[in-house]
Amino acid sequence: MGTFAISIINITIATSLLTQSTKLAGYLVVLFILCYSSSLGPVPWVLVGEILPAKGVSFTVAFDWTSMTLLSFFYKPIAGIFGDYVMFYFFSACNIFVRLPLT
């Protein structure tokens, strides 16, 4: 349910950015944060802690921080080229097509 809500919110944010409705986009970003932090946000930490040994956890945390840093660094240039709404469509496609297996 959380992934579906996140995807719908991302699509709505992209559409509201495309139609220049920035106030709606701001409210939807807050709703996205609420849905993400209660559904997909803690999942990697629980899965990694249960499945991998300590060295695997440290590698995964390093990879997570590195990928988030790269995303934060390259978001603005990519959004400047393609537009903000394209980035949100891309993120919603990732949420729809990438599924975590149940353990």
Side-chain angles (χ1 to χ4, degrees):
M1 180 72 180
T3 306
F4 182 71
I6 289 171
S7 299
I8 296 299
I9 292 168
N10 276 337
I11 290 170
T12 312
I13 289 172
T15 306
S16 64
L17 286 174
L18 190 59
T19 60
Q20 304 296 324
S21 177
T22 55
K23 192 172 187 178
L24 176 64
Y27 290 132
L28 289 171
V29 166
V30 172
L31 186 62
F32 170 81
I33 292 169
L34 289 172
C35 288
Y36 180 78
S37 63
S38 65
S39 62
L40 291 177
V43 168
W45 298 102
V46 173
L47 283 177
V48 168
E50 292 291 326
I51 295 173
L52 297 175
K55 283 188 178 185
V57 172
S58 62
F59 174 75
T60 306
V61 169
F63 179 78
D64 183 43
W65 277 93
T66 303
S67 62
M68 290 302 133
T69 301
L70 290 174
L71 178 68
S72 299
F73 184 71
F74 288 113
Y75 177 81
K76 271 301 219 195
I78 293 173
I81 294 170
F82 297 111
D84 285 332
Y85 62 94
V86 173
M87 297 298 290
F88 283 102
Y89 282 137
F90 173 73
F91 293 142
S92 64
C94 289
N95 283 330
I96 291 171
F97 294 116
V98 177
R99 304 208 189 271
L100 292 174
L102 295 176
T103 56

